[in-house]
Amino acid sequence: MPESLIEELPKIVKQGKKEAQKILDGLSKSSRVTLQTNELVLPAKDTADLYRGRIKEENPTHTHTHTHLDFKNRLIYGDNLLAMQALLAGDAETPSMRGKIDLIYIDPPFDSKADYRTKIHLPGTDIEEKPTAIEQFAYSDTWKDGTASYLRMMIPRLVLMRELLSEQGSIYVHIDWHVGHYLKVILDDIFGKDNFRNEIVWLRTNDTGAFKFKRKQFSVNHDVLLFYTKSNSNYFDPPKRPYDEKFYKKFRFNDNDGKGRYYWADLAKPSENSIKRLMAKNEVKQRKSGKWSYKRYLKNVGDGIAYHDVWTDIFRSSSPSYATQKPEKLLERIIKASSNENSIVADFFAGSGTTGAVAEKLGRKWIMSDLGKPACMITRKRLIDQDADPFIFQSIGDYQKEQFEKSEFRTIRDLAHVVINLYGATPFPQHEGSPSNAGYIKQSRTLVVVDSPSKMTGYNTLKRAQEFRNRYAGGWKKVVVLGWNFVSDIGQIISKLNDKNLEVLVIPPDLLDKLRTKAKYRKLIDSGKIRFSSLQYLTVKPVKKEDYGKGNQEKVTVELDNYVLLSPDALPLDEKNKKKLQDVMADDPLALIEYWSIDPDYDGEVFRSRWQDYRQNVANDNDPFKVVRKAELILPKENKKRRICVKAVDVFGFESVAVVEVK
């Protein structure tokens, strides 16, 4: 008979803490997880400024850095467990964040069994996308082993969050009735029962529609926020509710003695001394009933009434851009209460980015991470829209590597042979001199090469594959390269190689999730559901450059040309939605672009997005479903070649880059 959850809980906690300790012990190893900076975002959506020749530059004096002078706000794409590992470890460019975060707010999944599918709005149609196996964690609030697996996920993450908190730090865990009671016990264990501050009840809606009462239960209209601190020295400035107009009307008396307005308030338990003291100041009287009243002056009442632990004045977002979006007023209250303008605020289940957006407005620094590409896109657009300070967009980049290390595959050769079989090819027999990561398709003279999940497939890999095709065993007709992760300009590299007998395909990113054991791959082969897709590819029209103004400036015109999306078969779409997508692709492939940006002086390392446009930005045009296709940038004149990098992200979160040089 299986154990009950209450019997299993000590084992779950022990296992989770053990996992967290293993991570902490490995922070100093050379193989530790690091963050890869993909982009420095310099919000500049207003094209009017571009036409006037003013591009928003990275300006350290414009930021609310205070004591964190070198700190840059961060949006991180990837598993938050890996993100926190990287933040704790630090690297050559950014120091460890251990003990430096003053406030963490998280809104993790609730184990509610809800399925948060992504609805994508395109011109003339909507497409519904299911989450991939990787993104299940981000979108689908479902757990294979029920609440037990949910708690296994949460415990090591909460342990790492405690390590990131400063001594004056606080954490708010936003949860509901599904698992709140279990998480309360776990938080008591990790943070200490004495560091529990409040169970805040948030009335998210007062909707009492009749349909809710058909379930033979009372309607559930609230969430819970579990508020803990790291120590007794936590920062806390109690938020207050402003007095209403009715309250101020009570202060209708004024003796014109310089003390201001007042009203007569009951003196609850008057002592003889207090009455004498008030009489001396002419501030007390006895009513006919025998009770005493005193003058309560307006100047003494403060600026409001302190909130208690039941919040009934903030309701959920009426038109959320994200399934679980929380209102800004909720985060404003939390951030004001448990941080100051010197604080760093973090959210490791960022969703639509409400925490960072509010922290930005309140002059705090922020770190956010999310595993969902749509979530990161929504957050990035939101920050650009509110004219945020420059921030960096980072990724883990080692997801497949991490998954491989957790799998039963002990060598790259073992994994490569499985992938080759899944592709429909045959690995070369194992003998001296035979390639460990290659195979062939019988009767076709086609080679198949599998790159490592620990590598970024780029130019060098493709050149070696060409040489292998031309030289191995007398030469072959064609070579197919199967890769996990690719350099950002892989599309351009393939175009420049101009080799029709070289094909580059993407290994499904969730394959390692499906290959948890070596025994499962045969079933996958038989299912025929593993599809290797082509790469997405962006092209731009020839860039125009011309003198502008009085000769110290130049106008650079960048126009999108075409966008080729990877095969729809690789996307988690049903047949109906695949057909919709194919129709859009045939009619206007650039309609799939969600966001694009330009770095007019690309250094080949860090992309600095000095201009952006995105769907829903109607400042540039009146079409919420399409980006503008052309950008005119007024730039300081350069007497040399300008290296321009254009980056585009499509509605599914796939990124592509085009780099052009113009004299």
Side-chain angles (χ1 to χ4, degrees), residues 270-365:
S271 66
E272 187 175 339
N273 288 335
S274 64
I275 291 174
K276 286 181 179 179
R277 177 173 52 80
L278 291 168
M279 277 183 172
K281 296 189 290 182
N282 192 31
E283 293 180 2
V284 71
K285 70 178 182 180
Q286 190 173 27
R287 300 200 298 265
K288 291 180 180 180
S289 63
K291 293 183 178 180
W292 291 90
S293 299
Y294 75 103
K295 293 179 180 178
R296 188 181 185 190
Y297 289 94
L298 179 61
K299 65 179 182 180
N300 296 329
V301 300
D303 55 357
I305 305 169
Y307 286 103
H308 44 66
D309 59 0
V310 179
W311 296 354
T312 61
D313 58 327
I314 301 171
F315 296 118
R316 65 189 177 192
S317 303
S318 57
S319 301
S321 56
Y322 192 80
T324 57
Q325 183 173 328
K326 300 301 182 290
E328 288 198 0
K329 286 184 178 180
L330 181 71
L331 271 299
E332 181 180 338
R333 184 170 297 172
I334 293 168
I335 292 170
K336 283 183 175 180
S338 293
S339 71
N340 54 44
E341 289 195 7
N342 291 322
S343 296
I344 298 174
V345 178
D347 186 345
F348 298 107
F349 297 86
S352 63
T354 304
T355 302
V358 176
E360 176 88 22
K361 292 175 182 178
L362 296 176
R364 277 65 166 173
K365 307 311 291 179

Side-chain angles (χ1 to χ4, degrees), residues 191-214:
F191 287 88
K193 193 174 180 181
D194 292 341
N195 290 324
F196 171 68
R197 293 292 176 264
N198 286 106
E199 180 183 60
I200 299 165
V201 176
W202 172 46
L203 183 68
R204 49 185 167 76
T205 177
N206 59 3
D207 181 13
T208 57
F211 72 95
K212 291 190 175 184
F213 297 101
K214 295 179 181 179

